[in-house]
C-alpha cells in the first residue's frame, strides 16, 4: 500500500485539555479552536470520552490521527484519550514550550496561542505526510 497519506482535516482530531484552572488549559483550548476554525483539523469532545458517550467514542475511533494538547505535565487529555483505548499519535505539553502555568484563565497571550498553533500545524503536517496506520 502507498505511504501517501489520505488524511483529511476532518480525520485529524484534536483533543485539548481545556483546563479551567490555569492559563495553559485555555491556551490549549484556544489554539485547538483556531486551528479548527481554519479548517486544518477537527477539535473534538474530550469530555465525551470521559463521560463514556458511545457515539463520541465511536467517532473518535474513526480519526486517522489524534493530536492531544495538554496544558501541563498532569496530562489530563492524554490520560482521557488513552483511558478509552485510543492511541495518542502526537502530544503537545504547553509548559514544555517555555510557557509558564499560572492560576486563572485570563492570563492568555496571543503570542502563546500562536506558538501552540504553530506546533499543532507541525504535527498536522507530519500526520499528513505519514501513512494513516490506525486500526
Ligand atoms: S493537563 Fe494541566 S492544565 Fe490541562 S486540565 Fe490537566 S491539570 Fe489542567
Amino acid at each position: 500500500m502507498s505511504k501517501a497519506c489520505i488524511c483529511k482535516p476532518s480525520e485529524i482530531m484534536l483533543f485539548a485539555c481545556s483546563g479551567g484552572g490555569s492559563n495553559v488549559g485555555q491556551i490549549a483550548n484556544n489554539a485547538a479552536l483556531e486551528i479548527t476554525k481554519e479548517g486544518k483539523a477537527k477539535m473534538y469532545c474530550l469530555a465525551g470520552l470521559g463521560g463514556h458517550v458511545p457515539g463520541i467514542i465511536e467517532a473518535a475511533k474513526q480519526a486517522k490521527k489524534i493530536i492531544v494538547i495538554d496544558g501541563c505535565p498532569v496530562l489530563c487529555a492524554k490520560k482521557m484519550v488513552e483511558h478509552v483505548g485510543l492511541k495518542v499519535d502526537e502530544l503537545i505539553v504547553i509548559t514544555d514550550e517555555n510557557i509558564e502555568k499560572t492560576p486563572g484563565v485570563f492570563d492568555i497571550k496571543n503570542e502563546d496561542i500562536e506558538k501552540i498553533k504553530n506546533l499543532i500545524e507541525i504535527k498536522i503536517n507530519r500526520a499528513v505526510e505519514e501513512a494513516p496506520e490506525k486500526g
Side-chain angles (χ1 to χ4, degrees):
M1 182 186 275
S2 165
K3 292 294 276 182
C5 183
I6 55 168
C7 291
K8 299 178 200 144
S10 61
E11 295 169 330
I12 302 171
M13 280 194 188
L14 309 177
F15 288 97
C17 76
S18 303
S22 70
N23 61 333
V24 286
Q26 289 308 303
I27 291 168
N29 191 67
N30 277 272
L33 181 62
E34 293 208 7
I35 290 282
T36 302
K37 275 197 220 163
E38 291 170 12
K40 295 171 180 162
K42 179 181 174 181
M43 186 178 189
Y44 207 51
C45 307
L46 184 70
L49 299 184
H52 290 203
V53 177
I56 290 176
I57 294 174
E58 278 311 305
K61 282 182 182 168
Q62 305 308 311
K64 295 227 166 73
K65 292 284 174 184
I66 290 180
I67 300 172
V68 165
I69 309 108
D70 266 316
C72 76
V74 180
L75 301 179
C76 298
K78 177 176 185 283
K79 289 171 184 164
M80 193 99 86
V81 168
E82 291 177 342
H83 173 73
V84 296
L86 297 175
K87 177 174 171 277
V88 174
D89 296 297
E90 301 279 358
L91 173 67
I92 294 167
V93 182
I94 292 178
T95 50
D96 286 350
E97 305 304 328
N98 263 339
I99 298 173
E100 191 183 348
K101 181 177 181 178
T102 58
V105 294
F106 301 119
D107 182 21
I108 302 173
K109 297 183 182 75
N110 284 338
E111 67 201 54
D112 291 339
I113 294 171
E114 283 302 313
K115 186 177 192 177
I116 300 306
K117 277 181 67 185
N118 289 339
L119 270 178
I120 296 171
E121 288 190 44
I122 289 168
K123 307 285 190 190
I124 290 171
N125 290 339
R126 191 181 300 171
V128 168
E129 285 160 12
E130 288 172 357
E133 296 293 351
K134 290 197 87 74

